[in-house]
Amino acid sequence: MPAKPKFYLTTPIYYTNGLPHIGHTYTTVVADVIRRYKRMRGYEVVMTTGTDEHGVNVERAAKKAGVPEAEFVAKMADAWRGLWDELGLSAEEFVRTTDLRHVRTVQWLFKLFRENGYVYKGHYTGQYCIYDNAFVNDAKPGDNCPDCGRPTETLTEENYFFKLSAFQQPLLDFYKKNPDFIQPESRKNEIVSFVEGGLKDLSITRTTLRWGIPVPGEEPHVFYVWFDALTAYLSAVGGPDYEKRGMWPADLHLVGKDIVRFHAVYWPAFLMAAMLPIPKQVWAHGWFLMDASKMSKSKGNVVLPRPIANMLGMDALRYFLLREVVFGQDGNFSYDALATRYNSDLANGLGNLASRTAAMIEKSFAGKIPKAGKLEPQDEALARETQTAIGDVLDYFEKMNFARALESLWAVIAAADKYLTTEKPWSLGDSEDDTQRKATILATIAELLRIVTVLAHPVLPDSTVKIWTLLGQPGPVSAVELDGLRWGHLKTGVPLGKPQTLFPRVEKVEAIERIESMANEELNPTVAPTPAPAVTPAASGATAATAPAVTEKIGIEDFAKIEMRVGQIKTAERIVGADKLLKLTVDIGTEIRQICAGIAQYYEPETLIGRKVAVVTNLAPRKLRGVESNGMIIAASVGPEGRPVLASFPEDVEIGARLK
Ligand code: MSP
């Protein structure tokens, strides 16, 4: 069998002086979608992401946190990697600029520049933006940084310079020969004019900075952060030994529009100087804006991915990011638009089509997809429309026009809904003719659903697996080859899988409130009091086994401050998006309270109704996963994993009785 063609794609490596928000998630989601898509087109794919850990900002942030830089960045890198893992976005390679493999690659590349005569020592005085880690060309003292608007600082230092000026013509020739190198077209035009305007040599080492990769034998020189950072793409796939891994050059660098110049001018020039292969493409996307301005923690307008994923599922967030904004353009982020799309396109659209199709097959054909009988013109028309959509969707994917790809796919779902409304399979009887017709209709819809599921898989990796299982189709959906996808390959006669919850409809206002409240908890973790270890909610992860031993004694007056009463559980239900929590209503004698308890993994809600429990009744109310909790249920924390066991009363006790 011939070897698979390779595809190597990268996200930017993210700064470690902050944590991921929806803007960073956007790039990583797009990379993940392309990775899955390319795999289904037969490529061997490697995706790299990582963390950009050097520079003055990190130095300052570590100082502020009172820890050494290495410790600071290790924690931050764990947080980034951890979040990507949690969101199902882990890449094959996670490169940190403090990795030894990376340090070696940076030093090797510089050695090649030297050997090839592209560096020299000099002095540089200029205005420097410490926030963007860049000297600001042509700025005067007192000027603000044109990118971020913050004040620049005047710096003079001894530097090594890279002869960027020598690459003006080679770069222009390269752009001409490789017209798709910079995408979209508008960015390409910007870059070409920038290079045509003339290139000044670039200082690529610093002597004013301590926290960076040392230039061997030239201390105190350390490498300029952008030279350091860009090289990470190469370190991730072998560095000096890149030929062994066979992935270099990168096929696609995905970047935000603010960092195109680094990727489309400096990076290819560096590689030309080292005589290394140049990446195939740099694709610049726009920004997700909040109220028309770029998100930043200091402006207090950041949107976090985790609360959205917890509330609506990661597939919903992926769908929204790709569907809402044309790739390459800026767009506004709004929770309202997110929840609207979720309900209309996912809950009422795909989710509803899948569950009602399965329910009809279950009812009329004992849960086995029937074979189609004689086709009517309307069945053939729907088949043709779906077949055409396959070509369109693949074409849009190739052009990175994800919004149009999804639009075309959802037009097929709308056509299916319309077809069902006109054909009304539910109104057909049990005669042979009617059963035949019903079989044809349901087989047609099931086939359409199979195709939609395959095409949507790169964007909705979790829910399409569920639909695939529901349809009882063979193999994993991710293994279906997109190139061979056509109408008519549905496997019939196979039993349907178990019904699955796909996209439960949400109450918009409540969903937004809960997302915002979870985001608030995440951004201001100190606002909520930490629950005591042996007491629910155990969702905090704290357990008696891991809690420090209590050494300090308290007086009876301290204990008297805690009001505990006997309560009786009236209702108990699970909370969408919070696997560990149950929402309870508890009668405490004087009133009925809503209380959340972290016991969902150990107690079935229905077994709790009527049970008498010990409740702390005078705790300040707080929100857990966005749900108000007014009190706390007492539980013992058992075993190393802290299994909660509810405190209960062997003798009958009155509801509301005080525990003393
Ligand atoms: N560390 C550099 C990249 C080095 S790559 C060799 C960096 N890091 S960053 O963390 O500031 O930004 C990483 C990416 O996130 C950039 O592509 C940037 O455009 C993107 N985004 C940051 N905020 C964004 C939005 N609000 N919307 C969309 N993307 C944005 O730059």
Side-chain angles (χ1 to χ4, degrees), residues 12-15 21 23-24 52 226 233 256 258-259 285 287-288:
I13 53 165
Y14 301 104
Y15 285 133
H21 58 57
H24 312 112
D52 191 351
W226 271 100
Y233 299 138
D258 46 329
I259 57 174
H285 62 73
W287 284 343
F288 260 105

Side-chain angles (χ1 to χ4, degrees), residues 11-16 21-24 26-27 52 80 226 229-233 254-259 263 285-289 293-295:
T11 75
I13 53 165
Y14 301 104
Y15 285 133
T16 39
H21 58 57
I22 215 78
H24 312 112
Y26 182 45
T27 323
D52 191 351
W80 281 85
W226 271 100
L230 290 160
T231 307
Y233 299 138
L254 283 170
V255 299
K257 63 178 185 180
D258 46 329
I259 57 174
H263 286 80
H285 62 73
W287 284 343
F288 260 105
L289 306 170
S293 70
K294 199 180 175 209
M295 278 173 221

Side-chain angles (χ1 to χ4, degrees), residues 96 213 275 305 325 345-346 419 513 564 580 594 643 656:
R96 300 180 50 191
I213 297 179
M275 293 197 254
V325 174
D345 297 11
L346 298 175
Y419 169 86
E513 231 182 71
M564 281 188 279
K580 292 185 183 152
Q594 174 170 300
R643 177 170 63 88

Side-chain angles (χ1 to χ4, degrees), residues 303-367:
V303 175
L304 300 179
R306 193 187 267 121
I308 299 173
N310 281 340
M311 181 66 213
L312 301 176
M314 192 54 198
D315 276 8
L317 176 58
R318 295 167 68 102
Y319 177 81
F320 178 75
L321 292 176
L322 293 184
R323 175 69 185 85
E324 195 65 8
V325 174
V326 172
F327 195 63
Q329 293 174 12
D330 287 351
N332 252 315
F333 189 92
S334 112
Y335 286 127
D336 196 274
L338 167 72
T340 303
R341 276 227 181 270
Y342 173 85
N343 276 337
S344 67
D345 297 11
L346 298 175
N348 294 350
L350 179 61
N352 183 41
L353 182 66
S355 13
R356 70 184 173 136
T357 306
M360 287 188 280
I361 295 174
E362 191 61 54
K363 184 158 171 261
S364 305
F365 297 95

